[in-house]
DNA sequence: TCTGTTAGCTAATGGCATTAGCCTTAGGGC
DNA sequence: GCCCTAAGGCTAATGCCATTAGCTAACAGA
């Protein structure tokens, strides 16, 4: 090894700070190099290219979200677990809106494993509802859609009116819960 | 006027074709100019800059979505209207996935009016539920979050497993409906 | 101490957005 | 039918960015 304080992880860390402070569009290799006190091409010793850096950032964010979600679900079950998961998710997105929008949803090799762990946690949150096989998959998809949709819209500032967002989110949670409890198909 | 077949609307039209065929990232002024058979700087006679072009594209997409939504709601009410709205939304996103992801959520002056009309249609779809004031706002937000979240994840290919997506979406619709029907607060 | 690896550098290339300033032509008023 | 203005097009130039190639020097292990 040589002298460096730099490493792939350190580069991702700097990238995250840029994303947080200036938004996902400000994430350029030039900007990262600037913060690292290094010439731009030097970064290629740590990261294949900008696309990979983005994927690594996304993976990191997904990991953080997984951790948050795990803690929320841990030691709870049923509606309580589900509400804790949803609240944790939203508050993460609200705390780091730029970071949240840097989350890449498209499945890339880099994020595949992180994505699966996250889905696993969501699945765990739903365990008490006694869903089997496909039913569990459908429920996970709906929960992801609801949480992600709300988080994206809230981060983007798409909810303009003055009404309390927490209350809107509580209604969303209520929809999920009652949808899981109420039998379908008349 | 001069000779041109070009106009702001025509530029947006070309931009939409690029988005559809090559994805939102391929939308560059150079690419539009190429299709228009014109030098890049000439586009500035029709559009202020790339950011504005993106906003105009977004506005157009939002308009199309509003139209789809209106037709779905027209002549229906209650659960039927709500399900038709949701189905129309999803099928639009599925038919034009790139176009859908070019939808900008952040409120910009260019898209403000289009956004309000869209919210108006969603509100109309919920009319039969007898929601008043704030309750209606919360419901609209949840519906937007659910539809948008699902559409984004589906367009991005985030739902990997083989389970039928239509069934997942039906569950989501069921959640919304039963959440609106079931009283809250224990 | 010597040597190989490797993080860093500079230089160069090419794509893109954007601005400035020029040229041409279409079209309306006469 | 003619002129004159404005609109739409062009080329040239600038600057930012990503990426590649090839050089250099420092550190690790022998």
């Amino acid at each position: 090894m040589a002298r460096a304080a730099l490493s792939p992880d350190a580069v991702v860390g700097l990238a995250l700070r840029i994303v947080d402070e200036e938004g996902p569009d400000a994430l350029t290799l030039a900007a990262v190099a600037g913060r690292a006190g290094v010439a731009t091409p030097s970064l290629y010793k740590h990261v294949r290219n900008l696309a990979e850096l983005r994927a690594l950032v996304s993976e990191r964010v997904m990991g953080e979200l997984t951790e948050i979600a795990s803690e929320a679900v841990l030691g709870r079950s049923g509606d309580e677990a589900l509400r804790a998961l949803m609240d944790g998710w939203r508050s993460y997105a609200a705390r780091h809106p730029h970071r949240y929008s840097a989350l890449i949803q498209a499945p890339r090799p880099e994020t595949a494993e992180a994505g699966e762990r996250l889905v696993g946690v969501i699945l765990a949150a739903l365990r008490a509802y006694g869903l089997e096989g496909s039913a569990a998959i459908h429920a996970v998809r709906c929960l992801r859609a609801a949480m992600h949709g709300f988080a994206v819209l809230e981060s983007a500032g798409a909810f303009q009116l003055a009404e309390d967002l927490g209350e809107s989110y509580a209604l969303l949670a209520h929809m999920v819960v009652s949808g899981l409890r109420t039998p379908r198909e008349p």
Side-chain angles (χ1 to χ4, degrees), chain A:
Chain A
M1 302 288 161
R3 83 227 76 157
L6 225 44
S7 71
D9 274 352
V11 170
V12 173
L14 290 172
L16 264 175
R17 283 175 43 195
I18 292 169
V19 168
D20 279 342
E21 294 168 24
E22 306 172 51
D25 291 347
L27 177 55
T28 67
L29 289 177
V32 174
R35 295 222 181 189
V38 123
T40 307
S42 304
L43 295 177
Y44 286 83
K45 291 290 154 75
H46 303 284
V47 150
R48 202 196 322 278
N49 51 32
L50 179 60
E52 195 196 48
L53 177 57
R54 287 216 189 92
L56 290 173
V57 165
S58 181
E59 186 186 354
R60 186 106 131 215
V61 172
M62 211 174 277
E64 290 178 357
L65 206 42
T66 303
E67 194 152 330
I68 299 271
S70 299
E71 281 173 24
V73 173
L74 208 70
R76 294 186 232 258
S77 75
D79 295 357
E80 205 194 346
L82 202 147
R83 287 214 161 82
L85 169 64
M86 287 186 71
D87 287 345
W89 192 291
R90 172 171 176 243
S91 80
Y92 178 84
R95 225 172 17 252
H96 312 288
H98 290 153
R99 200 178 285 215
Y100 189 86
S101 27
L103 229 188
I104 297 172
Q105 296 294 338
R108 303 179 97 279
E110 289 92 339
T111 59
E113 195 206 342
E116 279 166 27
R117 279 191 299 131
L118 186 46
V119 166
V121 173
I122 301 178
L123 206 48
L126 293 171
R127 204 176 316 281
Y129 292 91
L131 303 163
E132 308 241 329
S134 290
I137 305 292
H138 295 308
V140 169
R141 285 176 176 170
C142 291
L143 190 45
R144 279 179 73 191
M147 292 192 295
H148 182 62
F150 199 95
V152 164
L153 293 176
E154 184 176 4
S155 307
F159 296 137
Q160 294 273 285
L161 302 175
E163 265 73 16
D164 183 58
L165 279 164
E167 206 167 318
S168 300
Y169 200 65
L171 174 58
L172 188 64
H174 169 70
M175 285 176 172
V176 173
V177 169
S178 68
L180 290 175
R181 293 218 171 289
T182 313
R184 264 209 287 164
E185 253 62 58

